[in-house]
Amino acid sequence: MNSTRILLVFGTRPEAIKMLPLVKVLAAEPALEVRVCVTAQHRQMLDQALELFGVRPDYDLDLMTAAQGLEQITTAVLTGLSTILDAWRPDRVLVHGDTATAMAASLAAFYKKIPVGHVEAGLRSGDPLQPWPEEVNRRLIDVIADQFYTPTAETRDNLLREGARRDAVYLTGNTVIDALLMMADRVEGEPGLAERLADSFSYLEPDLPLLLVTGHRRENFGQPLLDICAAIAELARTHRLQVVYPIHPNPNVQGPVRQVLAGVPHVHLVEPLDYLPFVYLMKRSHAILTDSGGIQEEAPALGKPVFVTRNVTERPEAVAAGTVELVGTDQRTIVERVGRVFTPAGAHERMARRINPYGDGRASRRIADILVGRKMKEFEP
Ligand code: UD1
Ligand code: UDP
């Protein structure tokens, strides 16, 4: 029997974290021949994830530059992938989410008339400019794709409302929960690992509650990011807490964050963390302040309150459940809302409920079932 050729294409940290569990599961399927192409839209942050999961890509477009523009990424993916698609002729290309890599890779596959499967399909914020350009990227991919692996009932329904075929839309859950549970199991099960991770954060004060912070959205560059940082500085000065902020390497983020927060007592500015120590820190945190998509999905599974520095989100499920709160970028609002969970009045307990709207750790297995034509039992949130 001829095997089905599957090419997975990804390039940034979050795509890698969410695609690598799938790579592992698909590679174990005898009916599939699996190859991985990384665009390296991210370099160091991608390599961190590849190393952690022990995956060596078959193709590497190595396209990252220090001040890359969206046009540059898009054209480099299109031309780079064209050669690979001609040479290997996969039966299907899998892309993930909403990055420039995912959008351009799905277009490259379309130009060769190769079917595209969209992992994490159907997310919609409703506003083409928030997040920008991701909201439009994910819509473009869903015009091209012919199989949709959706994380939640809401995302499935978004696609059906837009006219996707019912038999092309699968409710699988999000592979990010597969990745998260793999790491959380390692932290708990691997002898000595939790102690080694604790040692690597020996600068943290054991009894001071932790606010973990990340941020990188393009629409927050400039004044909004400065305002968020001013809020973090004020929180650190006025509340009993400590902050760890792994700063995204984008110069548009590094500059303002260091300008406002360098030297502020109880604020630790660090390089982007490997996924394993980052999961450890999420577990150790009291609350998280972020504009990240992935962290909005992971933190609720760990029972951690998340404050999202955005005005809209394409991940409304945990907001509805009360674990995630949108706080925008206004300094006063952030200080007031985040400050509440660091006071003894009980706001933390109300938000810190462990919920799993985004997956059960079996999303990759379900996608494998679909690809080999096995019966698949959908995710039930
Ligand atoms: C990209 C995605 C965004 C995703 C985010 C995850 C698009 C349009 N944006 O945004 O959807 O949420 O990744 O982090 O696809 N850099 C490094 N080393 C790295 C990674 C980045 O130095 O390992 C620096 C480079 O200077 C690079 C810059 O960051 O030019 C921006 O990277 P880019 O991928 O263009 O944008 P992100 O903001 O990371
Ligand atoms: N993450 C990480 N190290 C860090 C910050 C984040 O491993 O220092 C992980 C995080 O747990 C999540 C993913 O990176 O799985 C999110 O990536 P990012 O916020 O860059 O992108 P987004 O999810 O917003 O697209």
Side-chain angles (χ1 to χ4, degrees):
M1 197 183 75
N2 282 342
S3 51
T4 306
R5 293 181 167 195
I6 304 286
L7 182 69
L8 296 96
V9 185
F10 51 90
T12 64
R13 168 177 64 192
E15 292 170 279
I17 289 170
K18 292 167 162 184
M19 287 291 250
L20 287 166
L22 180 60
V23 170
K24 296 268 190 192
V25 171
L26 296 186
E29 288 288 348
L32 303 179
E33 195 181 341
V34 175
R35 291 195 185 176
V36 171
C37 172
V38 295
T39 65
Q41 174 178 336
H42 285 173
R43 187 70 271 174
Q44 305 89 317
M45 297 204 301
L46 171 77
D47 292 344
Q48 286 177 331
L50 289 170
E51 195 176 322
L52 179 64
F53 284 84
V55 169
R56 282 179 59 145
D58 301 280
Y59 310 100
D60 189 336
L61 301 183
D62 196 21
L63 66 79
M64 193 191 87
T65 58
Q68 62 198 11
L70 296 172
E71 300 82 356
Q72 241 178 313
I73 305 169
T74 304
T75 50
V77 173
L78 263 180
T79 48
L81 205 52
S82 170
T83 318
I84 293 165
L85 296 176
D86 281 339
W88 194 51
R89 293 303 308 177
D91 297 300
R92 174 169 293 284
V93 168
L94 298 185
V95 301
H96 182 280
D98 53 22
T99 64
T101 283
M103 187 274 290
S106 62
L107 188 57
F110 175 67
Y111 285 163
K112 308 286 180 197
K113 297 193 177 154
I114 297 171
V116 173
H118 190 189
V119 184
E120 197 185 273
L123 278 68
R124 299 287 183 267
S125 73
D127 181 344
L129 295 179
Q130 299 188 70
W132 178 81
E134 290 84 359
E135 174 74 1
V136 167
N137 283 344
R138 50 174 93 106
R139 286 171 191 245
L140 293 172
I141 297 167
D142 287 339
V143 170
I144 291 172
D146 73 337
Q147 276 191 0
F148 308 93
Y149 320 114
T150 66
T152 63
E154 176 128 3
T155 49
R156 175 199 59 200
D157 294 346
N158 287 340
L159 287 168
L160 296 178
R161 255 197 313 276
E162 290 171 14
R165 284 172 48 143
R166 181 65 193 90
D167 62 357
V169 183
Y170 303 92
L171 180 45
T172 58
N174 197 315
T175 56
V176 75
I177 304 299
D178 304 13
L180 180 68
L181 296 183
M182 277 167 78
M183 294 307 137
D185 282 356
R186 266 183 74 175
V187 173
E188 272 152 34
E190 206 173 296
L193 181 59
E195 291 73 19
R196 284 200 300 281
L197 287 166
D199 284 350
S200 69
F201 295 105
S202 57
Y203 55 81
L204 289 177
E205 293 184 39
D207 299 324
L208 212 48
L210 172 65
L211 175 66
L212 181 60
V213 180
T214 79
H216 66 82
R217 295 250 85 85
R218 279 174 161 75
E219 61 272 22
N220 283 349
F221 291 171
Q223 196 56 46
L225 182 54
L226 290 168
D227 292 346
I228 295 166
C229 291
I232 295 164
E234 189 179 335
L235 281 163
R237 274 198 308 272
T238 55
H239 289 70
R240 214 187 141 267
L241 57 80
Q242 57 191 334
V243 174
V244 176
Y245 191 156
I247 315 175
H248 190 290
N250 192 326
N252 295 306
V253 181
Q254 289 276 342
V257 171
R258 292 190 186 281
Q259 178 194 322
V260 180
L261 289 174
V264 175
H266 298 302
V267 176
H268 304 278
L269 303 180
V270 300
E271 295 301 313
L273 293 165
D274 283 1
Y275 188 45
L276 193 58
F278 192 76
V279 170
Y280 166 84
L281 268 198
M282 282 197 285
K283 282 164 72 76
R284 184 165 167 176
S285 68
H286 188 74
I288 301 174
L289 178 69
T290 187
D291 59 20
S292 162
I295 296 170
Q296 286 179 68
E297 295 156 344
E298 293 164 335
L302 300 172
K304 300 298 174 178
V306 190
F307 296 91
V308 177
T309 49
R310 301 200 206 172
N311 302 315
V312 294
T313 181
E314 58 289 328
R315 294 167 168 91
E317 295 84 355
V319 178
T323 308
V324 169
E325 216 176 287
L326 295 181
V327 292
T329 60
D330 174 63
Q331 179 178 345
R332 281 187 47 171
T333 310
I334 295 173
V335 171
E336 199 252 314
R337 303 271 200 90
V338 178
R340 263 190 231 154
V341 297
F342 286 91
T343 54
H348 184 262
E349 287 62 38
R350 278 196 297 281
M351 282 184 86
R353 285 195 307 113
R354 198 184 285 255
I355 54 165
N356 263 325
Y358 299 110
D360 59 1
R362 295 185 50 78
S364 302
R365 169 99 346 257
R366 292 191 181 92
I367 296 171
D369 288 345
I370 297 160
L371 292 174
V372 300
R374 264 194 310 263
K375 196 168 154 39
M376 186 273 280
K377 193 172 172 321
E378 291 202 320
F379 168 54
E380 287 172 26

